[in-house]
Amino acid sequence: KNQVEQSPQSLIILEGKNCTLQCNYTVSPFSNLRWYKQDTGRGPVSLTIMTFSENTKSNGRYTATLDADTKQSSLHITASQLSDSASYICVVSLLTGANNLFFGTGTRLTVIP
Amino acid sequence: KAGVTQTPRYLIKTRGQQVTLSCSPISGHRSVSWYQQTPGQGLQFLFEYFSETQRNKGNFPGRFSGRQFSNSRSEMNVSTLELGDSALYLCASSTRRGGYEQYFGPGTRLTVT
């Protein structure tokens, strides 16, 4: 069964600290994996997209890693800011098929001063 | 370039009514996908339209339907509303089919009473 699981469900960190969010998937055949940031009441915004051959991609203070062998991805946030408070959603895409997107339920990150 | 726009942003309907939501994609984008987002289920794929044709469909009942116009604008209709249809409805546009490089709109918050 194709699934995407994220952990932790929620996380509270102090401003300026680093954190790492996890995404494990069983989706196969794999096409690409994306991390989205969703502020409350807003639509998701893409942070990174990685294909099978990419094992790391950065977007400012956000760095995503992918291990296609173990089917794991992580999103590392460096020097967190209050504006990083949001939900982070991992989305995995199938190579083929009619319904080819699988969404994690997200990690809710709260950054406190 | 203007982003994805959705109207209305907020909507309150009564059980049994029907509702139509609108999505205008980014100029030049021919793919429009619709998603339902609820706190318990996360993001769930409804359907994708590309060049006025429905290309993919998620596991939702026939009460959920959509269409796409020649200018790529899309509408989603839900008939015979149920309390469980209360959710944030997001649309996303892309230049390509299959959900690659999607840009999300702000969503329409539907409340069914």
Side-chain angles (χ1 to χ4, degrees), chain A residues 4-5 12-13 16 25 29 34 41 47 52 54 75-76 78 87 89 92 113:
Chain A
V4 177
E5 294 185 351
I12 301 174
I13 62 172
Y25 62 93
R34 284 163 273 179
L47 293 174
F52 184 88
E54 297 172 298
L75 180 69
H76 187 74
T78 304
S87 288
I89 302 170
V92 182

Side-chain angles (χ1 to χ4, degrees), chain A residues 62-100:
Chain A
Y62 301 99
T63 299
T65 64
L66 173 65
D67 186 334
D69 291 330
T70 62
K71 295 187 168 67
Q72 295 180 326
S73 176
S74 64
L75 180 69
H76 187 74
I77 303 175
T78 304
S80 60
Q81 300 176 358
L82 298 179
S83 60
D84 292 331
S85 295
S87 288
Y88 292 84
I89 302 170
C90 173
V91 183
V92 182
S93 180
L94 265 178
L95 199 56
T96 58
N99 302 324
N100 59 359

